[in-house]
Amino acid sequence: MKLLIMRHGDAGQYQVKDSDRELSELGILEAQVMAKWLNASDCQIDKVIVSPYVRAQQTAKHILDILNCKPQVDTLSLITPDGSATEVHDFLDGMFAGQKHDNVLMVSHMPLVSYLCSEMTFDAQSPIFPTAAIAMIDYDLDKMKGELTLMIGPDDFCKKG
């Protein structure tokens, strides 16, 4: 099974409550770029799990608008910026035991996305996520851990030089 852990796109409006911050124009573009990458990679997402925070919900919406498939979408209050990676890992393992999924996309926040990668991988890698970046974990359901196989973000598609 593939678990794709994604940080939301760029957000602005620091003067509002953190949970109410919306995506900036750049954040919308970042989400759209990553949705196009998901389509091009032929990764058929069958479930999306999203933080209840506005910027994560908007990121998921912009991805779903472009995605070639129509996955089941659930909002999970555990995956906010200050969520517990251990609790999320336990929740996911319980969900994976009860439901068959091939490719699950989770849209959440720093620092949780980084901690979650560490929690869910054999070598406890804890990458720093640029906005809208996706970490792909090849997850072993029996061992309840996986291997981080890819880290990609919108900046990877920008020409350098």
Side-chain angles (χ1 to χ4, degrees):
M1 187 198 87
K2 300 270 190 258
L3 175 62
L4 294 93
I5 300 174
M6 180 180 194
R7 181 182 179 191
H8 61 78
D10 180 70
Q13 302 176 328
Y14 291 98
Q15 67 277 12
V16 300
K17 183 176 166 186
D18 187 44
S19 60
D20 294 336
R21 289 178 51 218
E22 295 186 7
L23 290 180
S24 66
E25 287 184 34
L26 174 61
I28 293 168
L29 179 61
E30 289 173 333
Q32 293 168 339
V33 165
M34 296 313 292
K36 290 175 183 175
W37 172 78
L38 285 167
N39 284 337
S41 69
D42 201 30
C43 187
Q44 294 294 308
I45 304 296
D46 50 24
K47 184 167 184 87
V48 177
I49 303 168
V50 188
S51 160
Y53 283 29
V54 171
R55 61 192 178 272
Q57 291 283 321
Q58 290 175 329
T59 299
K61 181 199 175 304
H62 288 290
I63 287 172
L64 292 165
D65 286 347
I66 294 173
L67 214 53
N68 289 336
C69 54
K70 297 298 174 209
Q72 176 187 351
V73 180
D74 291 324
T75 297
L76 180 62
S77 62
L78 291 175
I79 59 172
T80 59
D82 58 350
S84 163
T86 303
E87 287 180 17
V88 175
H89 189 181
D90 290 345
F91 174 86
L92 290 174
D93 282 338
M95 183 187 79
F96 298 154
Q99 303 171 11
K100 166 94 172 85
H101 297 290
D102 293 320
N103 299 296
V104 175
L105 173 66
M106 176 182 293
V107 182
S108 188
H109 313 265
M110 278 294 286
L112 179 63
V113 290
S114 186
Y115 296 150
L116 196 53
C117 280
S118 176
E119 173 75 22
M120 299 193 75
T121 56
F122 293 113
D123 56 2
Q125 293 185 47
S126 186
I128 301 300
F129 280 69
T131 52
I134 295 176
M136 184 181 292
I137 298 174
D138 193 4
Y139 196 75
D140 185 320
L141 296 170
D142 294 326
K143 295 179 181 173
M144 296 188 213
K145 290 274 186 182
E147 180 182 343
L148 180 63
T149 58
L150 179 67
M151 184 77 186
I152 192 164
D155 290 348
D156 293 318
F157 303 102
C158 296
K159 292 185 179 182
K160 298 194 180 4

